[in-house]
Amino acid sequence: MAKNFAKDAGKEARFKLGWWHAYRFLLARRLCQLSIMLFFIMGPTWGILTGNLSSSMVLETIPLSDPLIVLQTIVTGHWPEATALIGVALVVAFYAVLAPRVFCAWVCPVNMVTDLAAWIRRKLDIKTGFQWSPTLRYWLIPVILLGSAISGSLLWAWIDPVASLHRGLVFGIGSGWILVVLVFLLDLVLVQHGWCGHLCPLGATYGVIGRKSILRITATQREACTKCMDCYNVCPEPQVLRQPLKEGDRKVMSQDCISCGRCIEVCPEDVLQFKSRLGSSRDKS
């Protein structure tokens, strides 16, 4: 079968399997992301979720802490409070067990910005002009920690577009929106999937945390693949799909996968599914 155009990714799946099948994970992700923002906005009234994405409380009882912020705090020479340590332990345990980089696709508000940029780029057939190594984001983690240790401050907190967008949505528009616009333009015209796929150190942190997690995208019907390229065209980390769709283990074992499920939705042959990495050998060649 001939390869489909990037702008038509998902069109065949909508025709063959229906609109809901082609968008079910995308709609669930947007509902999750927007609900979390709503809970933060209504935090003082509802008490479901208070604080921010760096440090929050669930039902005013359960602490949650950003792992990268806690690491920066430690290297500056300030030991976090017990609630922060409990919060980061809970976050790490949850994302280590569930699936790779679930935070990136299901919680992070910047994901909505980068998804929009990718959609516009596909529809308008915009060609990006630069290529960066996807390992760059992992090198940024020690650079940020070293910078925090030298400066004695939470270096990443000053230039983090994730926190800036969250503050903008919850507390009102401020100068932080400049960072969000820059991320949008980066992904739209400079580097394909530039932010999530190449730069974001927070996403890299969650990638390391979830590298042994349980749920994985799996090519359960690999023999039915027609190489239409729809999954590659919508995936923010397309390199992770090469191995499971060709030979060897059918599961996407790369920690770079963001577990968004878009590759599952747009496949007209229903080749891919979420499966446990602890499954039987039937999921392997």
Side-chain angles (χ1 to χ4, degrees):
M1 180 177 176
K3 296 179 181 179
N4 292 338
F5 292 111
K7 64 184 179 66
D8 294 327
K11 184 176 181 179
E12 188 178 355
R14 291 195 301 271
F15 177 77
K16 291 183 64 174
L17 303 174
W19 188 89
W20 170 251
H21 183 281
Y23 293 105
R24 64 194 190 279
F25 290 121
L26 177 62
L27 292 174
R29 285 166 48 217
R30 294 295 177 259
L31 179 61
C32 183
Q33 290 162 328
L34 294 174
S35 295
I36 290 172
M37 289 299 103
L38 178 61
F39 291 151
F40 274 122
I41 292 170
M42 299 303 295
T45 303
W46 295 351
I48 297 175
L49 195 57
T50 55
N52 52 56
L53 287 177
S54 297
S55 178
S56 58
M57 295 289 288
V58 179
L59 300 175
E60 301 181 354
T61 304
I62 303 172
L64 300 174
S65 303
D66 179 343
L68 190 55
I69 289 291
V70 171
L71 283 175
Q72 289 178 85
T73 302
I74 292 173
V75 299
T76 60
H78 299 88
W79 194 252
E81 295 181 356
T83 53
L85 295 175
I86 294 172
V88 78
L90 292 174
V91 167
V92 169
F94 177 78
Y95 288 109
V97 170
L98 186 55
R101 293 179 61 190
V102 175
F103 175 88
C104 300
W106 294 79
V107 178
C108 179
V110 173
N111 171 255
M112 295 185 284
V113 176
T114 56
D115 273 3
L116 176 61
W119 180 81
I120 294 174
R121 190 182 63 250
R122 288 196 304 271
K123 293 301 179 183
L124 299 181
D125 194 26
I126 297 174
K127 303 299 183 183
T128 52
F130 296 92
Q131 290 186 347
W132 292 343
S133 170
T135 62
L136 178 60
R137 53 191 158 182
Y138 294 103
W139 286 104
L140 283 176
I141 296 175
V143 169
I144 289 169
L145 294 179
L146 180 61
S148 296
I150 294 173
S151 66
S153 63
L154 304 182
L155 185 63
W156 185 242
W158 293 98
I159 53 175
D160 181 8
V162 177
S164 296
L165 180 56
H166 175 265
R167 286 193 297 267
L169 292 172
V170 176
F171 303 110
I173 297 175
S175 60
W177 283 92
I178 297 174
L179 291 173
V180 178
V181 171
L182 291 176
V183 166
F184 176 79
L185 294 176
L186 169 71
D187 274 37
L188 182 64
V189 298
L190 292 180
V191 183
Q192 187 172 348
H193 309 301
W195 177 252
C196 295
H198 298 84
L199 282 182
C200 182
L202 182 57
T205 302
Y206 279 107
V208 173
I209 290 171
R211 62 193 305 266
K212 298 294 184 181
S213 51
I214 294 175
L215 284 181
R216 300 283 168 162
I217 301 290
T218 306
T220 55
Q221 305 293 332
R222 183 165 63 193
E223 296 77 12
C225 178
T226 61
K227 298 179 174 59
C228 70
M229 299 299 290
D230 279 4
C231 57
Y232 282 83
N233 288 330
V234 300
C235 181
E237 302 276 359
Q239 74 279 0
V240 308
L241 293 172
R242 292 171 187 153
Q243 178 266 325
L245 288 176
K246 291 184 178 180
E247 60 184 17
D249 194 339
R250 295 172 184 253
K251 296 181 178 66
V252 175
M253 298 307 295
S254 172
Q255 65 190 38
D256 293 338
C257 175
I258 70 170
S259 305
C260 65
R262 283 297 286 151
C263 59
I264 299 175
E265 297 171 314
V266 302
C267 179
E269 307 304 328
D270 218 11
V271 169
L272 301 158
Q273 296 180 26
F274 276 115
K275 288 286 185 177
S276 168
R277 70 188 296 265
L278 307 177
S280 67
S281 59
R282 292 185 303 171
D283 293 334
K284 299 183 179 181
S285 295

